[in-house]
Amino acid sequence: MGYYAGIILHELKELEYKDFVIINALKSLNDMDLNYFKFLYRTFKDNIQGIRVHDMQKEIENSGVNKFELENSIEKLKRLQVLGYGVGGLGNFGNAWGAFQINEYSHEFFNIIKKFEILDE
C-alpha cells in the first residue's frame, strides 16, 4: 500500500476514485484474499457475464480451493469494489452470496499487484 501511495505522490498524479479503491483494498486484504482474487481473476478475467461460485464447482474442485473461504473473500472483494456484481431480479443473481463480476477495478487491481510483485508468477 505504501509503495503504491508513494508512486502517486512521486508522480504528483491527480487522485482518481480507482486509486482510493486500490489503496483501501491493499490495506484491507490478507494473503488468502489476494490468493483467491488471483485465482478468480486468472480464471474469469475474460468473462463479461456474472459468475457464481455455485456454477463453478468444477474449477473449485480442480484447484483445491476452499469454497466457503472463497465465498467470504468474494464478498469482501465486492465490498471493497475490486469485484463488481450485476443486476438482481427474476432470472438474475445480482449481489447474491458468492456471485460477482470482473470489473474495471479488477483489471487495475490485478495489474497493480502484479507490477509490485505481490503475486507469484
Side-chain angles (χ1 to χ4, degrees), residues 34-95:
L34 288 170
N35 285 331
Y36 286 133
F37 173 75
K38 175 179 68 172
F39 164 73
L40 293 170
Y41 187 84
R42 288 180 173 159
T43 305
F44 301 106
K45 69 182 174 205
D46 297 323
N47 187 325
I48 59 171
Q49 304 291 323
I51 301 143
R52 294 188 302 182
V53 169
H54 175 77
D55 297 334
M56 49 189 257
Q57 299 298 326
K58 180 179 159 189
E59 289 89 347
I60 292 172
E61 290 171 10
N62 291 341
S63 68
V65 168
N66 180 300
K67 181 183 174 204
F68 183 68
E69 290 177 0
L70 176 65
E71 289 173 324
N72 280 296
S73 288
I74 288 169
E75 295 305 311
K76 186 187 238 184
L77 289 159
K78 287 189 319 190
R79 277 192 315 274
L80 294 168
Q81 299 176 324
V82 175
L83 292 177
Y85 49 89
V87 177
L90 189 60
N92 296 318
F93 53 87
N95 193 21

Side-chain angles (χ1 to χ4, degrees), residues 8-51:
I8 291 170
L9 292 172
H10 176 71
E11 295 175 359
L12 298 174
K13 177 183 162 192
E14 187 172 330
L15 289 176
E16 299 175 38
Y17 188 78
K18 71 179 177 179
D19 296 315
F20 293 109
V21 169
I22 291 168
I23 289 170
N24 193 37
L26 289 170
K27 178 182 74 167
S28 302
L29 297 172
N30 60 45
D31 288 349
M32 286 178 29
D33 296 323
L34 288 170
N35 285 331
Y36 286 133
F37 173 75
K38 175 179 68 172
F39 164 73
L40 293 170
Y41 187 84
R42 288 180 173 159
T43 305
F44 301 106
K45 69 182 174 205
D46 297 323
N47 187 325
I48 59 171
Q49 304 291 323
I51 301 143

